[in-house]
Amino acid sequence: FPFDFGGMGGMGGMGMGKGAGKSRPAPPAWAIPAGTTVMVHGLEKAAEHNQKSGKIMSWDDSKSRYEVEVDSGDTTLSLKPQNITQTCSVKIVGIESKPELNGKSAQLLSFDRANWRYTVRLAERLENGKDVLGLQPSNVILPKGTRIVVANLGKEEFNGQMAQINEVDESAQRYQVACKNGKVIKIKFENVVC
């Protein structure tokens, strides 16, 4: 699988925008690295920021929130992990109704928790001109190094755990993830949200 963002953890602090010169601790391995582009969604009190692109500035472990810069750096929001989605390249798999989509690359744009679907933009338009699709997590392969949240497992102790994808096993349709609690587990594609 050609995507590997494992080395992005050291990219924080490269910008010269607001907060330049401030020393921020490196985020834990399971937290999204500073500088990563995300899409904001699901905000109720600050709904005007939903569907805005932002950049991770830091992770605040004491609040369990990310500091996210939006509006070209004019606004910084303190957001829960469930209110952001990493924008990254993904591979589409397992679509039986439109098998021609399988193997195609797409850009992950956002996640709709109500419908449990990712919104992705295809690298190439379909014949009907469409290039944006809603896909279940089981139909999207996230790249190695992506930070995720574990969801819908039978073992409740892991649900809600933040983690990092260490390995992708396409044939078994599983990720190996390193969780915040220190455990490494193998889980189905459908049991993670980024």
Side-chain angles (χ1 to χ4, degrees):
F1 195 63
F3 309 109
D4 183 355
F5 298 134
M8 289 183 62
M11 291 181 64
M14 289 176 60
M16 295 307 288
K18 195 187 311 185
K22 288 183 184 176
S23 175
R24 291 191 175 99
W30 40 263
I32 301 172
T36 302
T37 302
V38 295
M39 182 66 72
V40 178
H41 56 81
L43 299 179
E44 294 176 13
K45 291 182 180 174
E48 68 273 15
H49 295 296
N50 287 333
Q51 303 311 313
K52 286 186 179 178
S53 180
K55 202 167 281 290
I56 297 291
M57 300 309 293
S58 63
W59 166 253
D60 185 336
D61 205 32
S62 67
K63 295 180 184 176
S64 294
R65 291 178 179 253
Y66 288 101
E67 297 299 314
V68 179
E69 196 175 79
V70 294
D71 296 331
S72 300
D74 291 340
T75 305
T76 300
L77 305 171
S78 181
L79 301 175
K80 296 176 185 175
Q82 62 262 32
N83 293 119
I84 58 174
T85 298
Q86 294 171 76
T87 55
C88 61
S89 295
V90 298
K91 181 178 176 181
I92 299 173
V93 295
I95 299 182
E96 294 175 11
S97 62
K98 294 196 176 278
E100 66 274 12
L101 291 174
N102 296 324
K104 293 210 178 278
S105 294
Q107 183 75 16
L108 195 143
L109 302 176
S110 66
F111 185 71
D112 179 351
R113 287 192 174 278
N115 295 311
W116 210 251
R117 297 272 191 278
Y118 286 117
T119 300
V120 302
R121 182 180 311 278
L122 296 168
E124 301 173 13
R125 287 189 183 272
L126 299 175
E127 287 181 20
N128 64 7
K130 200 173 181 181
D131 68 342
V132 176
L133 305 172
L135 299 174
Q136 297 176 15
S138 60
N139 297 121
V140 171
I141 299 179
L142 301 168
K144 180 179 172 181
T146 302
R147 282 22 176 228
I148 57 95
V149 176
V150 178
N152 301 325
L153 283 180
K155 285 189 174 187
E156 290 294 323
E157 68 183 284
F158 290 105
N159 289 330
Q161 280 279 316
M162 295 171 66
Q164 178 179 2
I165 297 174
N166 288 342
E167 298 294 332
V168 178
D169 185 342
E170 280 192 58
S171 61
Q173 298 180 349
R174 302 276 192 282
Y175 298 113
Q176 180 192 73
V177 300
C179 297
K180 179 179 180 178
N181 67 6
K183 296 186 178 177
V184 176
I185 58 174
K186 288 187 179 182
I187 53 178
K188 295 177 183 177
F189 293 161
E190 66 199 51
N191 294 119
V192 307
V193 178
C194 83

